[in-house]
Amino acid sequence: MSKTIDPIPFARPFIGAEEEEAVLRVLRSGWLTTGTEALSFEKEFAAFLSRERQDEIHALAVNSATSGLHLALEACGVGPGDIVVTSTYTFTATAEVVRYLGAHVVFVDVKVGTYLMDPDSLERTLERLSQGLPAYSPRQSGRDPAMGYGPTGKVKAIIPVHVAGLACDMDRIVSLAHKYGAQVIEDAAHSFPSRLADGRWVGLLGDIGVFSFYATKTITTGEGGMVVTHNKDVANHISVMRSHGIDRSIWNRYTDTKASWKYAVVAPGYKYNMPDVLAAIGRIQLGRAFDLLEMRRHIAERYNQGFSSVPELIVPPSGIENAWHLYPLRLADFSDSAARDRFIELLQNQGIGVSVHFIPLHTMPYYADLYHFSESDFPNAMDTFIRTVSLPIWPGMTEEQIDRVIETVMKTIGQLKG
Ligand SMILES: *Cc1c(COP(=O)(O)O)cnc(C)c1O
């Protein structure tokens, strides 16, 4: 009889007694939805990001990063007929919010080996669109450039996605955005906390940044997100739009607290506020952020070391202070997704939870039909997709579990080769 082993899940939140106590405290307080906990969470989050720098940061708690991205685009004035550029190598949330506003999504490819938006591809796309040409070059060389395909329009925003916690080339992306008159919204769902070598936090490198506290993310509230910006006007606008377009400051300016039933609706806003029950969890998780990061970094280092002797296993790039939301492992020898799928199946059969980040959006039926994409339109994204597998990297993994992941990966690679 073979020995049964406990499966290692792909992801698992790190929740302790402090989170339980915080939730109980809110449940007993008589106030469940957005209130003092959410306000404190925002203040503490802003303080976290400004602890070593004196710049003013506004942090706005929302019920998901998806909501945060929607609010950010709305605050940038994105509307019907506009264009928002992002990478095809992302989760569907990044692009769907563009469609909520009736604008067009234009995808760019990733840079080989990085998972991240390719600034050269971005530049070519921005240049084409600025000339009134369709977003994508003709599929056959030698054709008239006007024979391209995809939407035309004004680029209002660019959304770089910091996949896995790695940072996009923000200096180039921001300077291209300035040149072509677009705003930059960072999808920092994977990046709390990541920073560049010079200490600048990912999420505060463009105009607006959005973090996610979804159940599998680096710190979690179950569901939730945080929008950050240096721009006070943008922060005020988002604050109003996340709660029905209600502007309380209009009345508060003229009245005392007794008139709190009065409010002014200044826009048909959204219902995107974060309830206090969740904010209370977030405050505790925020306090653990560096400890949790240390645990993920340790796992990443163990993996890097464990795989270093196998040339066809390509570990994630280094060079920044990565939040290590994901540990994407690239398998250089895989030439199609069938080999990757087989590898995943074998790992899963041995009780190792794995995933793939991401299935490029241009291959999804909705976008493929809408913009007439073929898979080969974004070759670097496809090349990355067919070779990449995300391994478990969650705080609380034991040394024995880490060893087992390494051993199982090595054994399985050997099996596939043999
Ligand atoms: C998780 C995720 C989101 C959405 O986050 P939610 O908080 O679940 O809305 C957006 N972008 C990326 C890249 C993500 O991984």
Side-chain angles (χ1 to χ4, degrees):
M1 206 179 81
S2 70
K3 186 174 73 154
T4 54
I5 45 163
D6 287 337
I8 300 170
F10 172 65
R12 198 186 146 87
F14 189 97
I15 299 291
E18 293 88 341
E19 282 85 348
E20 294 175 6
E21 282 157 22
V23 167
L24 270 179
R25 176 165 45 79
V26 175
L27 291 179
R28 288 169 179 159
S29 74
W31 187 259
L32 302 186
T33 188
T34 308
T36 54
E37 291 288 333
L39 203 64
S40 299
F41 186 27
E42 291 175 343
K43 283 193 180 140
E44 290 159 10
F45 199 89
F48 184 104
L49 293 176
S50 58
R51 62 174 70 196
E52 288 149 29
R53 308 168 71 85
Q54 293 314 310
D55 38 357
E56 196 188 359
I57 293 161
H58 307 274
L60 297 135
V62 287
N63 61 354
S64 73
T66 308
S67 307
L69 289 165
H70 185 196
L71 288 166
L73 288 173
E74 197 276 340
C76 291
V78 172
D82 289 332
I83 285 181
V84 175
V85 181
T86 190
S87 152
T88 183
Y89 208 77
T90 186
F91 183 56
T92 190
T94 319
E96 74 193 22
V97 291
V98 177
R99 301 295 294 150
Y100 292 180
L101 293 162
H104 278 296
V105 184
V106 164
F107 294 124
V108 295
D109 209 346
V110 291
K111 211 170 150 175
V112 182
T114 66
Y115 312 93
L116 307 171
M117 176 180 274
D118 174 20
D120 293 331
S121 174
L122 175 66
E123 182 164 21
R124 281 194 297 275
T125 301
L126 293 175
E127 186 53 35
R128 280 185 68 83
L129 288 164
S130 75
Q131 291 172 17
L133 296 171
Y136 309 106
S137 313
R139 286 205 173 91
Q140 283 160 282
S141 59
R143 287 277 194 88
D144 177 353
M147 291 284 292
Y149 62 108
T152 54
K154 160 124 188 74
V155 178
K156 279 273 178 69
I158 299 165
I159 313 182
V161 185
H162 304 297
V163 177
L166 299 161
C168 295
D169 184 348
M170 290 302 289
D171 289 340
R172 267 200 74 196
I173 291 169
V174 168
S175 80
L176 284 170
H178 287 163
K179 180 173 167 194
Y180 290 95
Q183 311 255 26
V184 177
I185 299 168
E186 297 177 77
D187 183 335
H190 297 186
S191 303
F192 190 77
S194 290
R195 54 180 161 184
L196 307 182
D198 63 11
R200 286 180 297 157
W201 294 106
V202 168
L204 285 166
L205 304 170
D207 296 284
I208 305 175
V210 183
F211 296 99
S212 173
F213 309 134
Y214 178 67
T216 60
K217 299 280 159 70
T218 55
I219 72 167
T220 185
T221 58
E223 300 280 359
M226 193 72 79
V227 180
V228 296
T229 180
H230 287 110
N231 187 319
K232 194 166 196 251
D233 295 335
V234 165
N236 287 342
H237 182 87
I238 289 176
S239 165
V240 167
M241 292 306 284
R242 84 175 149 178
S243 52
H244 303 292
I246 288 172
D247 192 344
R248 289 191 185 272
S249 67
I250 287 182
W251 290 104
N252 291 348
R253 243 183 278 153
Y254 304 112
T255 60
D256 63 13
T257 50
K258 275 183 240 148
S260 64
W261 58 270
K262 285 188 177 174
Y263 58 84
V265 173
V266 296
Y270 309 102
K271 176 85 164 94
Y272 284 169
N273 55 302
M274 174 183 280
D276 270 9
V277 180
L278 301 186
I281 301 174
R283 293 179 67 194
I284 306 293
Q285 290 269 301
L286 179 65
R288 296 188 193 281
F290 283 125
D291 290 342
L292 299 180
L293 173 61
E294 211 38 65
M295 292 188 239
R296 288 191 303 272
R297 187 183 289 148
H298 171 72
I299 300 165
E301 279 165 7
R302 292 283 321 277
Y303 285 166
N304 284 347
Q305 207 178 7
F307 303 137
S308 62
S309 63
V310 188
E312 61 263 39
L313 294 181
I314 302 167
V315 302
S318 55
I320 67 151
E321 243 181 83
N322 188 344
W324 290 112
H325 167 53
L326 300 173
Y327 187 93
L329 185 66
R330 275 164 68 93
L331 296 104
D333 286 354
F334 287 1
S335 55
D336 58 36
S337 52
R340 189 268 328 272
D341 291 353
R342 180 83 187 121
F343 181 64
I344 290 177
E345 194 189 332
L346 289 171
L347 289 179
Q348 285 173 337
N349 290 346
Q350 295 168 90
I352 311 291
V354 290
S355 192
V356 172
H357 298 87
F358 288 97
I359 307 170
L361 286 183
H362 74 278
T363 69
M364 293 294 178
Y366 173 74
Y367 292 105
D369 291 350
L370 184 65
Y371 297 124
H372 309 290
F373 291 132
S374 64
E375 285 195 356
S376 58
D377 286 341
F378 302 93
N380 298 345
M382 290 310 288
D383 184 87
T384 304
F385 165 61
I386 63 164
R387 287 185 171 78
T388 304
V389 174
S390 298
L391 300 181
I393 181 163
W394 40 271
M397 277 181 84
T398 63
E399 293 300 314
E400 186 271 332
Q401 287 175 316
I402 300 168
D403 287 338
R404 229 168 74 210
V405 173
I406 296 170
E407 281 159 22
T408 313
V409 166
M410 302 287 269
K411 190 176 81 187
T412 308
I413 285 293
Q415 254 173 317
L416 284 174
K417 277 203 282 194

